[in-house]
Amino acid sequence: MVQIKPFNVEQWMDKYETTATHNLAESCSDSLSLNALLSLGGHTLSNLPFPFSSIPLTYGHIRGSPEFRQNVAALYPPQSSNDGLLPALPAENVLITPGAIAANFLVFYTLVGAGDHVIVMTPTYQQLHSVPASLGAEVEEWKLRPEEGFKADVEVLREMVRKPGSDGKGGTKLIVITNPNNPTGVIHPTAALKEIVSIAQSCGNVPILSDEVYRPLFHNPDIPAPASILDIYSHGIATGSLSKAYALAGIRVGWVAARQSRVIQACATARDYNTICVSMLDDAVAAYALSKGIVEKLLERNVALCKRNWSIVDRFFGSGGGIDGVRFKTSYTRSSGGTILFVRLTDRDGVPIDDKSFCHDLHTRTGVLLVPGGFCFGSEFKGYLRMGYACNTKVLEEGLEKIRNFLKEF
């Protein structure tokens, strides 16, 4: 029997989010209604760009509709890389899944087995280390450290990765990263990614799985947008979804894309045993959202939201110095991409708060929901709170003021 740990962050959200009045734990961009999405293209519910009312509701295209897969593939244009010029990603190298969480699971289920060595960058979304561990893999954490600004130390990776033996066995099976990172919001720049790729190549072209669900929400003008792993590595695998960057979590659609077509074939074969396909209706909405002329407007809206709300959050936390009017200190690394901030809260003596109790009491007394960092991302992050700041701006401002008042009495 497979033994898998409780998924703390998802169980936390399941327990509290439906009763929160100000959900600052949510890491999606402020969710759009179908009407709001359609308006980006000048359409309405009475003037739909897809024939919802007349098409038979069959399974549809099992791997995803040609239109949707092509729109996803267009997110990965031709690039020069360590492997030379990588061509535009073929639509056939995209598999549509029920969210990125299903895409990640399929990659692990097809590539990882008992005894395999898997390196996972942490802190990260718990699925990315708990699932391979449940499959019997030897999971080794490549830890990002707050004192180093959560930057990826590639020399540490170089010491961790294993070369296969003369029989081709025993080497590292998979390297797993998240970019932008969850929960820190830190971006790993293209230069660092290329070093990671070089290390993987030196050990027999170890596949790199990059969870890129917050891509392409890049909103720090001082930091260039990083490459996708598919832009720079012929053995790269990227997962993504419509949930975070595209504000459409409710349609539950994501994808896995890979330069190696055999990875997609393996994932498709495994998926036959669980979800088979996604809903035709969800596929149609997703294809529209990523279509030319719509996706640009959608991202423009969400990047602007992140920029505006980040300035509010950064000002509230005193740019890491502390919250005005309360006795607690704050520290964090500037969130340069995605929708989340990982902030450490301590008293004036530097003692971190009990993050789980704090978040529970905050929700109970004020209706504001945050994610406790130590509980959800590892005990070394005691006192950390994960906050999503891409929600409705009014909700954010009201929630922050409730936090300030709560801290005055805490």
Side-chain angles (χ1 to χ4, degrees), residues 17-46:
E17 69 178 327
T18 58
T19 56
T21 59
H22 294 74
N23 188 354
L24 306 188
E26 180 58 73
S27 63
C28 299
S29 298
D30 187 27
S31 295
L32 288 168
S33 67
L34 185 55
N35 270 332
L37 175 64
L38 292 170
S39 70
L40 296 178
H43 297 98
T44 66
L45 286 173
S46 59

Side-chain angles (χ1 to χ4, degrees), residues 223-396:
I223 298 180
S228 165
I229 197 64
L230 297 184
D231 296 339
I232 58 175
Y233 190 31
S234 62
H235 290 268
I237 305 166
T239 54
S241 82
L242 275 292
S243 299
K244 312 299 183 182
Y246 301 98
L248 294 169
I251 61 174
R252 302 306 307 133
V253 175
W255 62 84
V256 54
R259 287 288 174 185
Q260 300 292 316
S261 57
R262 59 183 175 79
V263 171
I264 298 301
Q265 180 57 48
C267 287
T269 299
R271 200 191 54 171
D272 288 341
Y273 285 94
N274 52 35
T275 56
I276 301 178
C277 62
V278 302
S279 157
M280 284 183 67
L281 303 181
D282 292 341
D283 185 298
V285 174
Y288 178 77
L290 292 188
S291 64
K292 187 173 178 58
I294 303 300
V295 66
E296 295 88 352
K297 294 178 181 178
L298 189 53
L299 289 174
E300 181 181 9
R301 177 248 192 199
N302 294 340
V303 169
L305 176 68
C306 287
K307 285 182 178 179
R308 179 173 67 250
N309 286 6
W310 168 256
S311 66
I312 294 169
V313 168
D314 193 38
R315 185 167 60 250
F316 175 80
F317 285 115
S319 297
I323 303 169
D324 185 45
V326 303
R327 62 184 178 86
F328 292 89
K329 296 179 180 179
T330 61
S331 59
Y332 54 89
T333 299
R334 199 251 199 247
S335 176
S336 299
T339 63
I340 47 181
L341 170 70
F342 205 42
V343 58
R344 187 172 187 254
L345 197 61
T346 63
D347 64 21
R348 291 299 180 188
D349 295 323
V351 178
I353 62 167
D354 181 328
D355 51 271
K356 185 178 180 182
S357 295
F358 176 88
C359 290
H360 171 79
D361 292 346
L362 177 69
H363 172 266
T364 300
R365 298 181 193 176
T366 73
V368 176
L369 184 61
L370 298 174
V371 173
F375 176 65
C376 293
F377 298 99
S379 59
E380 65 266 42
F381 298 108
K382 180 181 179 181
Y384 277 85
L385 308 169
R386 195 194 76 175
M387 172 184 288
Y389 56 83
C391 57
N392 176 277
T393 301
K394 182 181 179 182
V395 170
L396 176 66

Side-chain angles (χ1 to χ4, degrees), residues 91-137:
E92 292 74 20
N93 286 41
V94 175
L95 178 67
I96 304 306
T97 61
I101 194 167
N104 289 330
F105 190 93
L106 284 172
V107 172
F108 291 129
Y109 190 77
T110 56
L111 297 187
V112 175
D116 286 342
H117 182 235
V118 176
I119 298 173
V120 181
M121 177 186 283
T122 61
T124 192
Y125 193 53
Q126 185 181 331
Q127 179 200 31
L128 300 181
H129 53 83
S130 286
V131 170
S134 76
L135 297 171

